[in-house]
PDB file of all heavy atoms in Angstrom:
ATOM      1  N   GLY A 576      -8.577 -25.911  -3.468  1.00 98.00           N
ATOM      2  CA  GLY A 576      -7.641 -25.118  -2.663  1.00 98.00           C
ATOM      3  C   GLY A 576      -7.706 -23.623  -2.917  1.00 98.00           C
ATOM      4  O   GLY A 576      -6.810 -22.891  -2.509  1.00 98.00           O
ATOM      5  N   TYR A 577      -8.762 -23.173  -3.596  1.00 98.00           N
ATOM      6  CA  TYR A 577      -8.907 -21.730  -3.866  1.00 98.00           C
ATOM      7  C   TYR A 577     -10.263 -21.217  -3.413  1.00 98.00           C
ATOM      8  O   TYR A 577     -11.276 -21.907  -3.561  1.00 98.00           O
ATOM      9  CB  TYR A 577      -8.748 -21.435  -5.370  1.00 98.00           C
ATOM     10  CG  TYR A 577      -7.309 -21.438  -5.779  1.00 98.00           C
ATOM     11  CD1 TYR A 577      -6.655 -22.629  -6.050  1.00 98.00           C
ATOM     12  CD2 TYR A 577      -6.582 -20.251  -5.818  1.00 98.00           C
ATOM     13  CE1 TYR A 577      -5.303 -22.644  -6.376  1.00 98.00           C
ATOM     14  CE2 TYR A 577      -5.234 -20.253  -6.146  1.00 98.00           C
ATOM     15  CZ  TYR A 577      -4.608 -21.452  -6.417  1.00 98.00           C
ATOM     16  OH  TYR A 577      -3.273 -21.460  -6.718  1.00 98.00           O
ATOM     17  N   ASN A 578     -10.291 -20.025  -2.885  1.00 98.00           N
ATOM     18  CA  ASN A 578     -11.535 -19.304  -2.684  1.00 98.00           C
ATOM     19  C   ASN A 578     -11.844 -18.652  -4.028  1.00 98.00           C
ATOM     20  O   ASN A 578     -11.035 -17.856  -4.552  1.00 98.00           O
ATOM     21  CB  ASN A 578     -11.348 -18.251  -1.577  1.00 98.00           C
ATOM     22  CG  ASN A 578     -12.636 -17.508  -1.272  1.00 98.00           C
ATOM     23  OD1 ASN A 578     -13.337 -17.066  -2.184  1.00 98.00           O
ATOM     24  ND2 ASN A 578     -12.942 -17.353   0.003  1.00 98.00           N
ATOM     25  N   LEU A 579     -13.005 -18.988  -4.574  1.00 98.00           N
ATOM     26  CA  LEU A 579     -13.325 -18.584  -5.952  1.00 98.00           C
ATOM     27  C   LEU A 579     -14.246 -17.377  -6.031  1.00 98.00           C
ATOM     28  O   LEU A 579     -14.958 -17.207  -7.018  1.00 98.00           O
ATOM     29  CB  LEU A 579     -13.964 -19.775  -6.689  1.00 98.00           C
ATOM     30  CG  LEU A 579     -13.120 -21.047  -6.768  1.00 98.00           C
ATOM     31  CD1 LEU A 579     -13.890 -22.153  -7.499  1.00 98.00           C
ATOM     32  CD2 LEU A 579     -11.789 -20.793  -7.475  1.00 98.00           C
ATOM     33  N   LYS A 580     -14.229 -16.529  -5.009  1.00 98.00           N
ATOM     34  CA  LYS A 580     -15.131 -15.377  -5.060  1.00 98.00           C
ATOM     35  C   LYS A 580     -14.554 -14.213  -5.862  1.00 98.00           C
ATOM     36  O   LYS A 580     -15.124 -13.119  -5.877  1.00 98.00           O
ATOM     37  CB  LYS A 580     -15.508 -14.932  -3.642  1.00 98.00           C
ATOM     38  CG  LYS A 580     -16.314 -15.994  -2.902  1.00 98.00           C
ATOM     39  CD  LYS A 580     -16.994 -15.479  -1.664  1.00 98.00           C
ATOM     40  CE  LYS A 580     -17.674 -16.611  -0.927  1.00 98.00           C
ATOM     41  NZ  LYS A 580     -16.736 -17.597  -0.331  1.00 98.00           N
ATOM     42  N   GLY A 581     -13.444 -14.424  -6.530  1.00 98.00           N
ATOM     43  CA  GLY A 581     -12.850 -13.339  -7.310  1.00 98.00           C
ATOM     44  C   GLY A 581     -13.703 -12.934  -8.498  1.00 98.00           C
ATOM     45  O   GLY A 581     -14.455 -13.743  -9.050  1.00 98.00           O
ATOM     46  N   LEU A 582     -13.556 -11.660  -8.890  1.00 98.00           N
ATOM     47  CA  LEU A 582     -14.129 -11.220 -10.175  1.00 98.00           C
ATOM     48  C   LEU A 582     -13.181 -11.639 -11.285  1.00 98.00           C
ATOM     49  O   LEU A 582     -13.543 -11.677 -12.452  1.00 98.00           O
ATOM     50  CB  LEU A 582     -14.252  -9.693 -10.201  1.00 98.00           C
ATOM     51  CG  LEU A 582     -15.161  -9.032  -9.182  1.00 98.00           C
ATOM     52  CD1 LEU A 582     -15.164  -7.524  -9.393  1.00 98.00           C
ATOM     53  CD2 LEU A 582     -16.585  -9.586  -9.299  1.00 98.00           C
ATOM     54  N   ILE A 583     -11.914 -11.893 -10.870  1.00 98.00           N
ATOM     55  CA  ILE A 583     -10.868 -12.303 -11.809  1.00 98.00           C
ATOM     56  C   ILE A 583     -10.288 -13.606 -11.256  1.00 98.00           C
ATOM     57  O   ILE A 583     -10.204 -13.779 -10.033  1.00 98.00           O
ATOM     58  CB  ILE A 583      -9.759 -11.226 -11.892  1.00 98.00           C
ATOM     59  CG1 ILE A 583     -10.349  -9.855 -12.259  1.00 98.00           C
ATOM     60  CG2 ILE A 583      -8.665 -11.606 -12.877  1.00 98.00           C
ATOM     61  CD1 ILE A 583      -9.354  -8.706 -12.264  1.00 98.00           C
ATOM     62  N   GLY A 584      -9.874 -14.497 -12.145  1.00 98.00           N
ATOM     63  CA  GLY A 584      -9.327 -15.796 -11.704  1.00 98.00           C
ATOM     64  C   GLY A 584      -7.969 -15.636 -11.017  1.00 98.00           C
ATOM     65  O   GLY A 584      -7.390 -14.542 -10.984  1.00 98.00           O
ATOM     66  N   SER A 585      -7.441 -16.763 -10.520  1.00 98.00           N
ATOM     67  CA  SER A 585      -6.164 -16.705  -9.805  1.00 98.00           C
ATOM     68  C   SER A 585      -4.999 -16.441 -10.757  1.00 98.00           C
ATOM     69  O   SER A 585      -3.888 -16.166 -10.323  1.00 98.00           O
ATOM     70  CB  SER A 585      -5.938 -18.003  -9.037  1.00 98.00           C
ATOM     71  OG  SER A 585      -5.931 -19.082  -9.944  1.00 98.00           O
ATOM     72  N   ASP A 586      -5.251 -16.512 -12.081  1.00 98.00           N
ATOM     73  CA  ASP A 586      -4.195 -16.124 -13.040  1.00 98.00           C
ATOM     74  C   ASP A 586      -4.061 -14.608 -13.115  1.00 98.00           C
ATOM     75  O   ASP A 586      -3.180 -14.072 -13.759  1.00 98.00           O
ATOM     76  CB  ASP A 586      -4.474 -16.711 -14.432  1.00 98.00           C
ATOM     77  CG  ASP A 586      -5.783 -16.176 -15.044  1.00 98.00           C
ATOM     78  OD1 ASP A 586      -6.503 -15.378 -14.378  1.00 98.00           O
ATOM     79  OD2 ASP A 586      -6.101 -16.541 -16.194  1.00 98.00           O
ATOM     80  N   HIS A 587      -4.929 -13.905 -12.448  1.00 98.00           N
ATOM     81  CA  HIS A 587      -4.976 -12.437 -12.417  1.00 98.00           C
ATOM     82  C   HIS A 587      -5.273 -11.814 -13.785  1.00 98.00           C
ATOM     83  O   HIS A 587      -4.999 -10.636 -14.008  1.00 98.00           O
ATOM     84  CB  HIS A 587      -3.689 -11.850 -11.802  1.00 98.00           C
ATOM     85  CG  HIS A 587      -3.669 -11.981 -10.303  1.00 98.00           C
ATOM     86  ND1 HIS A 587      -3.231 -10.994  -9.461  1.00 98.00           N
ATOM     87  CD2 HIS A 587      -4.062 -12.999  -9.496  1.00 98.00           C
ATOM     88  CE1 HIS A 587      -3.340 -11.395  -8.200  1.00 98.00           C
ATOM     89  NE2 HIS A 587      -3.841 -12.616  -8.202  1.00 98.00           N
ATOM     90  N   ARG A 588      -5.804 -12.630 -14.703  1.00 98.00           N
ATOM     91  CA  ARG A 588      -6.116 -12.112 -16.040  1.00 98.00           C
ATOM     92  C   ARG A 588      -7.577 -12.359 -16.427  1.00 98.00           C
ATOM     93  O   ARG A 588      -8.253 -11.441 -16.881  1.00 98.00           O
ATOM     94  CB  ARG A 588      -5.251 -12.782 -17.119  1.00 98.00           C
ATOM     95  CG  ARG A 588      -3.791 -12.745 -16.840  1.00 98.00           C
ATOM     96  CD  ARG A 588      -2.914 -12.571 -18.067  1.00 98.00           C
ATOM     97  NE  ARG A 588      -1.555 -12.298 -17.621  1.00 98.00           N
ATOM     98  CZ  ARG A 588      -1.147 -11.123 -17.170  1.00 98.00           C
ATOM     99  NH1 ARG A 588      -1.949 -10.087 -17.203  1.00 98.00           N
ATOM    100  NH2 ARG A 588       0.086 -10.962 -16.722  1.00 98.00           N
ATOM    101  N   SER A 589      -8.033 -13.607 -16.250  1.00 98.00           N
ATOM    102  CA  SER A 589      -9.336 -13.979 -16.809  1.00 98.00           C
ATOM    103  C   SER A 589     -10.481 -13.418 -15.971  1.00 98.00           C
ATOM    104  O   SER A 589     -10.578 -13.699 -14.776  1.00 98.00           O
ATOM    105  CB  SER A 589      -9.464 -15.496 -16.860  1.00 98.00           C
ATOM    106  OG  SER A 589      -8.262 -16.060 -17.295  1.00 98.00           O
ATOM    107  N   ARG A 590     -11.318 -12.638 -16.612  1.00 98.00           N
ATOM    108  CA  ARG A 590     -12.419 -11.985 -15.893  1.00 98.00           C
ATOM    109  C   ARG A 590     -13.699 -12.809 -15.986  1.00 98.00           C
ATOM    110  O   ARG A 590     -14.011 -13.370 -17.019  1.00 98.00           O
ATOM    111  CB  ARG A 590     -12.649 -10.599 -16.473  1.00 98.00           C
ATOM    112  CG  ARG A 590     -11.467  -9.710 -16.180  1.00 98.00           C
ATOM    113  CD  ARG A 590     -11.501  -8.424 -16.937  1.00 98.00           C
ATOM    114  NE  ARG A 590     -10.316  -7.643 -16.592  1.00 98.00           N
ATOM    115  CZ  ARG A 590      -9.997  -6.504 -17.141  1.00 98.00           C
ATOM    116  NH1 ARG A 590     -10.772  -5.968 -18.077  1.00 98.00           N
ATOM    117  NH2 ARG A 590      -8.908  -5.857 -16.766  1.00 98.00           N
ATOM    118  N   LYS A 591     -14.438 -12.814 -14.902  1.00 98.00           N
ATOM    119  CA  LYS A 591     -15.721 -13.527 -14.884  1.00 98.00           C
ATOM    120  C   LYS A 591     -16.835 -12.550 -15.254  1.00 98.00           C
ATOM    121  O   LYS A 591     -16.621 -11.330 -15.272  1.00 98.00           O
ATOM    122  CB  LYS A 591     -15.960 -14.112 -13.486  1.00 98.00           C
ATOM    123  CG  LYS A 591     -14.814 -15.011 -13.002  1.00 98.00           C
ATOM    124  CD  LYS A 591     -15.075 -15.550 -11.618  1.00 98.00           C
ATOM    125  CE  LYS A 591     -13.826 -16.195 -11.032  1.00 98.00           C
ATOM    126  NZ  LYS A 591     -13.971 -16.572  -9.624  1.00 98.00           N
ATOM    127  N   LEU A 592     -18.023 -13.096 -15.469  1.00 98.00           N
ATOM    128  CA  LEU A 592     -19.157 -12.247 -15.875  1.00 98.00           C
ATOM    129  C   LEU A 592     -19.420 -11.120 -14.871  1.00 98.00           C
ATOM    130  O   LEU A 592     -19.794 -10.006 -15.252  1.00 98.00           O
ATOM    131  CB  LEU A 592     -20.438 -13.091 -15.975  1.00 98.00           C
ATOM    132  CG  LEU A 592     -20.534 -14.077 -17.115  1.00 98.00           C
ATOM    133  CD1 LEU A 592     -21.880 -14.812 -17.052  1.00 98.00           C
ATOM    134  CD2 LEU A 592     -20.352 -13.383 -18.465  1.00 98.00           C
ATOM    135  N   ALA A 593     -19.209 -11.412 -13.591  1.00 98.00           N
ATOM    136  CA  ALA A 593     -19.544 -10.419 -12.567  1.00 98.00           C
ATOM    137  C   ALA A 593     -18.675  -9.161 -12.659  1.00 98.00           C
ATOM    138  O   ALA A 593     -19.059  -8.096 -12.163  1.00 98.00           O
ATOM    139  CB  ALA A 593     -19.412 -11.046 -11.176  1.00 98.00           C
ATOM    140  N   TRP A 594     -17.526  -9.291 -13.292  1.00 98.00           N
ATOM    141  CA  TRP A 594     -16.669  -8.097 -13.480  1.00 98.00           C
ATOM    142  C   TRP A 594     -17.475  -6.978 -14.130  1.00 98.00           C
ATOM    143  O   TRP A 594     -17.452  -5.825 -13.694  1.00 98.00           O
ATOM    144  CB  TRP A 594     -15.443  -8.480 -14.328  1.00 98.00           C
ATOM    145  CG  TRP A 594     -14.684  -7.293 -14.897  1.00 98.00           C
ATOM    146  CD1 TRP A 594     -14.989  -6.590 -16.032  1.00 98.00           C
ATOM    147  CD2 TRP A 594     -13.535  -6.656 -14.334  1.00 98.00           C
ATOM    148  NE1 TRP A 594     -14.095  -5.560 -16.226  1.00 98.00           N
ATOM    149  CE2 TRP A 594     -13.188  -5.579 -15.187  1.00 98.00           C
ATOM    150  CE3 TRP A 594     -12.751  -6.887 -13.203  1.00 98.00           C
ATOM    151  CZ2 TRP A 594     -12.094  -4.742 -14.952  1.00 98.00           C
ATOM    152  CZ3 TRP A 594     -11.663  -6.056 -12.968  1.00 98.00           C
ATOM    153  CH2 TRP A 594     -11.345  -4.999 -13.838  1.00 98.00           C
ATOM    154  N   ASN A 595     -18.215  -7.343 -15.200  1.00 98.00           N
ATOM    155  CA  ASN A 595     -18.977  -6.315 -15.931  1.00 98.00           C
ATOM    156  C   ASN A 595     -20.112  -5.763 -15.098  1.00 98.00           C
ATOM    157  O   ASN A 595     -20.473  -4.586 -15.227  1.00 98.00           O
ATOM    158  CB  ASN A 595     -19.538  -6.898 -17.236  1.00 98.00           C
ATOM    159  CG  ASN A 595     -18.419  -7.197 -18.199  1.00 98.00           C
ATOM    160  OD1 ASN A 595     -17.449  -6.446 -18.277  1.00 98.00           O
ATOM    161  ND2 ASN A 595     -18.532  -8.327 -18.891  1.00 98.00           N
ATOM    162  N   VAL A 596     -20.683  -6.613 -14.237  1.00 98.00           N
ATOM    163  CA  VAL A 596     -21.786  -6.135 -13.382  1.00 98.00           C
ATOM    164  C   VAL A 596     -21.256  -5.044 -12.449  1.00 98.00           C
ATOM    165  O   VAL A 596     -21.863  -3.988 -12.290  1.00 98.00           O
ATOM    166  CB  VAL A 596     -22.383  -7.311 -12.559  1.00 98.00           C
ATOM    167  CG1 VAL A 596     -23.482  -6.815 -11.631  1.00 98.00           C
ATOM    168  CG2 VAL A 596     -22.885  -8.413 -13.474  1.00 98.00           C
ATOM    169  N   VAL A 597     -20.100  -5.303 -11.857  1.00 98.00           N
ATOM    170  CA  VAL A 597     -19.530  -4.318 -10.922  1.00 98.00           C
ATOM    171  C   VAL A 597     -19.135  -3.053 -11.681  1.00 98.00           C
ATOM    172  O   VAL A 597     -19.416  -1.930 -11.246  1.00 98.00           O
ATOM    173  CB  VAL A 597     -18.307  -4.912 -10.174  1.00 98.00           C
ATOM    174  CG1 VAL A 597     -17.707  -3.893  -9.219  1.00 98.00           C
ATOM    175  CG2 VAL A 597     -18.708  -6.171  -9.416  1.00 98.00           C
ATOM    176  N   LYS A 598     -18.536  -3.229 -12.817  1.00 98.00           N
ATOM    177  CA  LYS A 598     -18.070  -2.072 -13.592  1.00 98.00           C
ATOM    178  C   LYS A 598     -19.239  -1.158 -13.957  1.00 98.00           C
ATOM    179  O   LYS A 598     -19.188   0.053 -13.778  1.00 98.00           O
ATOM    180  CB  LYS A 598     -17.343  -2.569 -14.849  1.00 98.00           C
ATOM    181  CG  LYS A 598     -16.570  -1.487 -15.602  1.00 98.00           C
ATOM    182  CD  LYS A 598     -15.676  -2.138 -16.633  1.00 98.00           C
ATOM    183  CE  LYS A 598     -15.227  -1.186 -17.728  1.00 98.00           C
ATOM    184  NZ  LYS A 598     -14.426  -0.074 -17.259  1.00 98.00           N
ATOM    185  N   ARG A 599     -20.309  -1.772 -14.440  1.00 98.00           N
ATOM    186  CA  ARG A 599     -21.492  -0.973 -14.810  1.00 98.00           C
ATOM    187  C   ARG A 599     -22.076  -0.274 -13.583  1.00 98.00           C
ATOM    188  O   ARG A 599     -22.414   0.911 -13.626  1.00 98.00           O
ATOM    189  CB  ARG A 599     -22.564  -1.869 -15.443  1.00 98.00           C
ATOM    190  CG  ARG A 599     -22.384  -2.075 -16.942  1.00 98.00           C
ATOM    191  CD  ARG A 599     -23.675  -2.595 -17.574  1.00 98.00           C
ATOM    192  NE  ARG A 599     -24.226  -3.771 -16.882  1.00 98.00           N
ATOM    193  CZ  ARG A 599     -23.895  -5.034 -17.169  1.00 98.00           C
ATOM    194  NH1 ARG A 599     -23.043  -5.301 -18.139  1.00 98.00           N
ATOM    195  NH2 ARG A 599     -24.440  -6.040 -16.503  1.00 98.00           N
ATOM    196  N   ALA A 600     -22.159  -1.012 -12.480  1.00 98.00           N
ATOM    197  CA  ALA A 600     -22.760  -0.440 -11.265  1.00 98.00           C
ATOM    198  C   ALA A 600     -21.924   0.738 -10.762  1.00 98.00           C
ATOM    199  O   ALA A 600     -22.466   1.774 -10.354  1.00 98.00           O
ATOM    200  CB  ALA A 600     -22.869  -1.514 -10.185  1.00 98.00           C
ATOM    201  N   TYR A 601     -20.622   0.601 -10.801  1.00 98.00           N
ATOM    202  CA  TYR A 601     -19.754   1.673 -10.290  1.00 98.00           C
ATOM    203  C   TYR A 601     -19.757   2.889 -11.223  1.00 98.00           C
ATOM    204  O   TYR A 601     -19.689   4.034 -10.769  1.00 98.00           O
ATOM    205  CB  TYR A 601     -18.336   1.153 -10.041  1.00 98.00           C
ATOM    206  CG  TYR A 601     -18.217   0.377  -8.726  1.00 98.00           C
ATOM    207  CD1 TYR A 601     -17.054  -0.298  -8.382  1.00 98.00           C
ATOM    208  CD2 TYR A 601     -19.265   0.337  -7.817  1.00 98.00           C
ATOM    209  CE1 TYR A 601     -16.941  -0.998  -7.183  1.00 98.00           C
ATOM    210  CE2 TYR A 601     -19.163  -0.365  -6.620  1.00 98.00           C
ATOM    211  CZ  TYR A 601     -18.003  -1.025  -6.304  1.00 98.00           C
ATOM    212  OH  TYR A 601     -17.896  -1.702  -5.119  1.00 98.00           O
ATOM    213  N   GLU A 602     -19.871   2.625 -12.517  1.00 98.00           N
ATOM    214  CA  GLU A 602     -19.947   3.767 -13.455  1.00 98.00           C
ATOM    215  C   GLU A 602     -21.216   4.570 -13.176  1.00 98.00           C
ATOM    216  O   GLU A 602     -21.199   5.801 -13.127  1.00 98.00           O
ATOM    217  CB  GLU A 602     -19.943   3.269 -14.908  1.00 98.00           C
ATOM    218  CG  GLU A 602     -18.540   2.985 -15.411  1.00 98.00           C
ATOM    219  CD  GLU A 602     -18.516   2.178 -16.717  1.00 98.00           C
ATOM    220  OE1 GLU A 602     -19.623   1.898 -17.288  1.00 98.00           O
ATOM    221  OE2 GLU A 602     -17.406   1.812 -17.114  1.00 98.00           O
ATOM    222  N   ARG A 603     -22.311   3.818 -12.976  1.00 97.00           N
ATOM    223  CA  ARG A 603     -23.608   4.465 -12.699  1.00 97.00           C
ATOM    224  C   ARG A 603     -23.523   5.242 -11.385  1.00 97.00           C
ATOM    225  O   ARG A 603     -23.923   6.387 -11.298  1.00 97.00           O
ATOM    226  CB  ARG A 603     -24.662   3.359 -12.595  1.00 97.00           C
ATOM    227  CG  ARG A 603     -26.078   3.797 -12.894  1.00 97.00           C
ATOM    228  CD  ARG A 603     -27.005   2.599 -12.988  1.00 97.00           C
ATOM    229  NE  ARG A 603     -27.052   1.810 -11.766  1.00 97.00           N
ATOM    230  CZ  ARG A 603     -26.810   0.496 -11.697  1.00 97.00           C
ATOM    231  NH1 ARG A 603     -26.499  -0.185 -12.782  1.00 97.00           N
ATOM    232  NH2 ARG A 603     -26.900  -0.150 -10.555  1.00 97.00           N
ATOM    233  N   LYS A 604     -22.938   4.615 -10.396  1.00 97.00           N
ATOM    234  CA  LYS A 604     -22.856   5.240  -9.071  1.00 97.00           C
ATOM    235  C   LYS A 604     -22.006   6.509  -9.131  1.00 97.00           C
ATOM    236  O   LYS A 604     -22.357   7.536  -8.534  1.00 97.00           O
ATOM    237  CB  LYS A 604     -22.230   4.237  -8.085  1.00 97.00           C
ATOM    238  CG  LYS A 604     -22.290   4.685  -6.653  1.00 97.00           C
ATOM    239  CD  LYS A 604     -23.714   4.668  -6.132  1.00 97.00           C
ATOM    240  CE  LYS A 604     -23.803   5.195  -4.731  1.00 97.00           C
ATOM    241  NZ  LYS A 604     -25.168   5.602  -4.373  1.00 97.00           N
ATOM    242  N   GLU A 605     -20.943   6.449  -9.873  1.00 97.00           N
ATOM    243  CA  GLU A 605     -20.060   7.629  -9.963  1.00 97.00           C
ATOM    244  C   GLU A 605     -20.805   8.786 -10.624  1.00 97.00           C
ATOM    245  O   GLU A 605     -20.746   9.921 -10.160  1.00 97.00           O
ATOM    246  CB  GLU A 605     -18.803   7.278 -10.763  1.00 97.00           C
ATOM    247  CG  GLU A 605     -17.786   8.407 -10.724  1.00 97.00           C
ATOM    248  CD  GLU A 605     -16.493   8.091 -11.467  1.00 97.00           C
ATOM    249  OE1 GLU A 605     -16.426   7.049 -12.155  1.00 97.00           O
ATOM    250  OE2 GLU A 605     -15.573   8.910 -11.364  1.00 97.00           O
TER     251      GLU A 605
END
Side-chain angles (χ1 to χ4, degrees):
Y577 282 82
N578 183 313
L579 301 179
K580 295 195 185 68
L582 298 181
I583 305 176
S585 59
D586 63 358
H587 284 221
R588 308 216 169 283
S589 318
R590 293 169 180 176
K591 305 179 192 172
L592 289 180
W594 165 277
N595 292 323
V596 178
V597 179
K598 191 168 161 62
R599 274 197 309 272
Y601 281 173
E602 277 166 4
R603 205 171 60 235
K604 189 70 184 161
E605 187 178 8

